[in-house]
Amino acid sequence: MLTGGELPALVLIDAVVRLIPGVLGNPESIFEDSFQEGLLEPPIYTKPAEFRGMKVPEVLLSGNHEKIQQWKLEQALNKTKQRRPDLLEG
C-alpha cells in the first residue's frame, strides 16, 4: 500500500529512461540486469575488499575475466535454484 502514485511513477520512469541510449555510463549494463538471462543476479561487491570481516572472493580480485564470468554464472545459478527454482524449469 502506498500513499500516492509518485513513487510508482518514479520507478516506472527510471526503468524506461535507462533504456535510452547515453543514459547509462556503460550501454552493456542493461544486458546484465537481473532476469536478463533468466537467472537471478549473482552477489555484487564493492570496495573495500574487506569490510567488517567479510571479504570479496579472491576470484573477483584476480583480474581473470573468464574465471570471474564463470564464478558469476555459478553464483547466479545457485541463487536462482534456492530462491526461484521455477525459473530453471524448462
Side-chain angles (χ1 to χ4, degrees):
M1 183 69 65
L2 299 171
T3 56
E6 297 87 356
L7 292 176
L10 286 171
V11 170
L12 181 62
I13 290 168
D14 185 65
V16 173
V17 165
R18 61 182 285 131
L19 299 176
I20 298 173
V23 170
L24 297 177
N26 179 0
E28 299 297 314
S29 295
I30 61 172
F31 300 112
E32 296 177 5
D33 286 345
S34 187
F35 291 106
Q36 189 66 32
E37 299 291 325
L39 300 173
L40 299 179
E41 287 182 320
I44 298 174
Y45 295 88
T46 186
K47 294 180 180 178
E50 183 175 345
F51 180 73
R52 295 184 181 174
M54 298 177 287
K55 295 181 180 181
V56 173
E58 286 296 320
V59 67
L60 298 180
L61 303 172
S62 71
N64 185 326
H65 298 287
E66 185 177 325
K67 286 186 179 181
I68 291 170
Q69 285 305 111
Q70 181 63 36
W71 180 88
K72 286 182 175 182
L73 176 60
E74 289 171 4
Q75 295 297 311
L77 283 166
N78 287 336
K79 187 175 183 180
T80 304
K81 184 178 179 181
Q82 289 176 349
R83 298 182 185 176
R84 290 291 310 274
D86 58 297
L87 296 176
L88 298 175
E89 294 173 4

